[in-house]
Amino acid sequence: MNATDWLTRIQHKDADVLIQGAQVMTPAGLQQTDVAVIAGRIAAIGGSGWQAKRQLDAQGLHLLPGAIDTQVHFREPGLTHKEDIHHGSKGAVLGGITGFFEMPNTNPLTLSANCLQQKLSIAAEQSYCNYAFYIGGSAANLGQLAALEQLPGCAGIKVFMGSSFGDLLAEQDELLLHILQDGRRRVAIHAEDEARLRERKALTAGEVENHPLWRDAQSALLATQRIIALAEQANRPLHILHISTADEMAYLAAFKDRVTVETTPHHLSLVAPDCYQRLGSLAQMNPPVRDSKHQQGLWQGIADGTVDILGSDHAPHTLEEKSRPYPDSPSGMTGVQTLLPVMLNHVAAGKLSLQRLVDLTSSNPARIFGLTGKGRIAVGYDADFTLVDLKAQRTIDNRWIASKAGWTPYHGQQVTGWPIATIIAGRLVMHSDEVLGPPQGKPFVFADSHHTKESQ
């Protein structure tokens, strides 16, 4: 729609969708008001006299900017017996998520333009929500990364310092520095020290309760310190994923000029040794869920602003795979569908404000990664919304989980707060635990890539 038509429809108050009576999280704070949508964008907040083809009664609910999960593993191509883009994105919209960034440890590894395009082609047919894909930073594609990170649909470069394999593992300082010097966009980092992990693996003694002993806090802190020092040399911004230790959180606070920080609902909600005693290898992930001292450090990072983003690190495996004797059981759990229910429950418990949750799941992802038109309920922005009921009391159940893996570590947990509707570009994609219509997701547009709105 051109600007003239847009302005004419606004003048005539002719909307496609009118969301009525919600508590709306606007840039000015919460306001009970209506939101009008024209051609997939927000046309007005408030005002009277609007007519619309579709009206949505949102009395008693909160309308939030669309939540974005910036760390998922949807396993496609190559590992689709346990997840794929269709089921992963369906779980996302059931959980109130309007878009995702997916990781490169698929088969084949996402290391080239062709592999990225394969994922984008699948998502164009199969994704219920918006999407982007990371390309792995590796010795195998060194020298190409500056060009690869500029491709449409690329969320950036992801580096595995530990907990990976083959061409995706980048553990040596010289290689890491060269990767950081090859490009300019923010690089996402899995920071565990692979050499220390190899040295300590014998400490597992075949007991999953020893997972945080093997992959100890020092292995995480050492890697985080190393990559920050290298980023200083390369003058490169970093985004360090799934921070799990109080030690890292305290250290990272000194580098906020260059480094943004993610933690996960799992690390904020599950605690050792209880989770391993209850769930066994279902609680096994990398880096590990740790004890209450470390969890308290993460919550301090939420409270003081050190944490920028919440990502689910959705990384499903089948129950059969998870039942292998530890440490042969794979690390990872589902999470994209439960991110908001679990965190809304923390809001209900007073652990963080609703505004802070919006910062962590919408505003900050859009700002940090340069997503155009996302992250705010503001006139002219894309009409991506998460509609939630802060008072709804539900029980999370495996039967609700859309993932092909079919399970969640939160099975049986009662929560207060629930996503009621997921709206993308003004389309009602999910309402009342039902996905509506076929997949119609679109690639995210990044302000610092070659992709522009005009090229969509």
Side-chain angles (χ1 to χ4, degrees):
M1 176 178 292
N2 62 39
T4 300
D5 291 342
W6 165 264
L7 292 170
T8 298
R9 289 190 63 184
I10 290 176
Q11 183 180 7
H12 290 98
K13 296 196 171 182
D14 173 26
D16 298 315
V17 179
L18 187 64
I19 302 170
Q20 297 175 300
Q23 291 286 338
V24 181
M25 187 66 76
T26 75
L30 279 175
Q31 300 180 32
Q32 184 173 4
T33 189
D34 298 345
V35 177
V37 176
I38 295 173
R41 290 191 292 152
I42 299 168
I45 301 170
S48 59
W50 280 91
Q51 302 297 315
K53 300 178 183 68
R54 177 160 192 168
Q55 299 182 0
L56 179 62
D57 183 4
Q59 294 282 338
L61 305 176
H62 283 70
L63 190 71
L64 312 179
I68 301 163
D69 190 343
T70 54
Q71 191 187 176
V72 305
H73 303 260
F74 282 169
R75 307 298 194 197
E76 189 172 13
L79 301 166
T80 54
H81 66 284
K82 52 189 164 190
E83 191 63 293
D84 58 23
I85 290 170
H86 179 89
H87 289 84
S89 66
K90 186 175 184 179
V93 298
L94 283 166
I97 303 297
T98 60
F100 62 83
F101 296 179
E102 205 266 349
M103 292 296 168
N105 54 336
T106 45
N107 186 15
L109 303 171
T110 315
L111 298 176
S112 68
N114 286 340
C115 290
L116 173 65
Q117 187 55 55
Q118 182 182 11
K119 286 187 171 182
L120 288 167
S121 296
I122 295 168
E125 298 290 331
Q126 298 294 330
S127 183
Y128 285 96
C129 59
N130 297 329
Y131 50 84
F133 298 93
Y134 275 103
I135 288 177
S138 162
N141 57 9
L142 192 61
Q144 306 169 43
L145 295 172
L148 289 171
E149 71 174 7
Q150 291 293 320
L151 293 173
C154 179
I157 302 303
K158 163 71 179 290
V159 173
F160 289 84
M161 297 176 68
S163 188
S164 193
F165 53 88
D167 284 341
L168 211 51
L169 180 62
E171 57 174 312
Q172 303 88 357
D173 282 2
E174 183 179 9
L175 173 58
L176 289 165
L177 180 59
H178 287 156
I179 290 171
L180 293 175
Q181 291 171 332
D182 189 4
R184 62 181 178 82
R185 292 179 67 188
R186 191 174 297 273
V187 180
I189 304 291
H190 180 128
E192 288 185 288
D193 191 273
E194 188 68 16
R196 184 174 176 87
L197 296 181
R198 284 195 294 266
E199 292 170 1
R200 296 177 62 82
K201 188 169 183 179
L203 297 175
T204 64
E207 299 292 338
V208 71
E209 290 89 348
N210 291 331
H211 196 57
L213 176 64
W214 166 24
R215 312 181 83 94
D216 67 340
Q218 189 67 9
S219 69
L221 180 62
L222 282 173
T224 293
Q225 291 173 330
R226 284 172 53 212
I227 198 66
I228 288 176
L230 293 168
E232 292 284 336
Q233 291 183 54
N235 194 31
R236 192 73 183 269
L238 301 179
H239 181 61
I240 303 188
L241 301 165
H242 41 50
I243 293 299
S244 63
T245 73
D247 312 66
E248 289 172 284
M249 200 62 74
Y251 186 79
L252 285 161
F255 299 96
K256 295 299 293 177
D257 59 330
R258 185 178 306 283
V259 182
T260 52
V261 177
E262 177 203 271
T263 193
T264 78
H266 304 91
H267 289 111
L268 292 167
S269 306
L270 304 176
V271 65
D274 167 73
C275 66
Y276 298 106
Q277 294 166 354
R278 287 190 301 108
L279 299 170
S281 63
L282 297 185
Q284 178 190 336
M285 65 181 299
N286 299 331
V289 174
R290 306 189 190 276
D291 63 25
S292 59
K293 175 182 79 79
H294 288 296
Q295 189 177 84
Q296 289 166 10
L298 303 186
W299 275 109
Q300 181 58 42
I302 295 282
D304 64 24
T306 304
V307 177
D308 299 285
I309 287 176
L310 283 171
S312 73
D313 197 9
H314 175 89
H317 301 279
T318 66
L319 288 172
E320 181 181 6
E321 290 168 330
K322 278 290 197 177
S323 68
R324 296 172 188 163
Y326 178 83
D328 295 330
S329 48
S331 292
M333 58 182 73
T334 60
V336 66
Q337 193 169 339
T338 53
L339 188 158
L340 282 178
V342 168
M343 295 310 301
L344 287 169
N345 192 55
H346 287 309
V347 170
K351 298 293 289 288
L352 78 167
S353 68
L354 185 63
Q355 177 65 69
R356 182 71 171 116
L357 179 58
V358 168
D359 289 343
L360 294 165
T361 59
S362 185
S363 306
N364 286 352
R367 173 182 58 82
I368 288 166
F369 291 100
L371 294 174
T372 64
K374 309 297 184 185
R376 305 174 78 197
I377 297 181
V379 171
Y381 275 62
D382 294 341
D384 296 352
F385 307 117
T386 303
L387 188 65
V388 302
D389 185 343
L390 296 184
K391 297 179 179 178
Q393 295 184 326
R394 304 288 173 84
T395 300
I396 297 172
D397 191 281
N398 286 339
R399 292 171 295 181
W400 176 64
I401 297 297
S403 168
K404 291 183 81 171
W407 63 272
T408 169
Y410 303 107
H411 173 68
Q413 179 175 327
Q414 293 185 328
V415 294
T416 300
W418 199 258
I420 300 301
T422 306
I423 300 165
I424 302 174
R427 291 182 293 103
L428 191 62
V429 177
M430 183 279 290
H431 194 278
S432 301
D433 299 326
E434 181 182 356
V435 175
L436 307 172
Q440 297 184 59
K442 302 293 182 185
F444 280 121
V445 178
F446 296 88
D448 55 0
S449 78
H450 291 157
H451 200 193
T452 64
K453 282 284 189 182
E454 288 72 24
S455 66
Q456 274 190 307

